[in-house]
């Protein structure tokens, strides 16, 4: 889940462990809207009680619309 979202990156929380500097592909959906595919890189990672919190930097200047 996203904790913070901007045009250049995001802070997100997940139960899955990801390595720092690894590429990541995120799909974001909203009711009644087409899905967005966000491609980026894990910049930092922290383990916490809820799983993991990550800083993500998007690599594309515009999100891609997923089919």
């Amino acid at each position: 889940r996203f904790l913070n979202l901007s045009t250049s990156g995001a802070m997100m929380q997940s139960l899955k462990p990801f390595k720092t500097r690894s590429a990541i592909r995120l799909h974001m959906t909203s009711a009644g809207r087409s899905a967005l595919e966000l491609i980026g890189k894990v910049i930092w990672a922290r383990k916490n009680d809820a799983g993991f919190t990550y800083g993500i930097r998007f690599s594309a200047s515009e999100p891609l619309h997923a089919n």
Side-chain angles (χ1 to χ4, degrees), residues 23-63:
I24 190 167
R25 183 181 305 246
L26 305 166
H27 295 270
M28 190 168 115
T29 59
S30 180
R33 305 225 180 228
S34 58
L36 292 178
E37 182 177 84
L38 305 168
I39 299 168
K41 185 182 280 190
V42 177
I43 301 302
W44 57 264
R46 294 190 182 104
K47 184 166 176 37
N48 53 47
D49 293 338
F52 301 88
T53 303
Y54 299 102
I56 308 295
R57 180 178 298 141
F58 299 138
S59 55
S61 60
E62 293 184 25

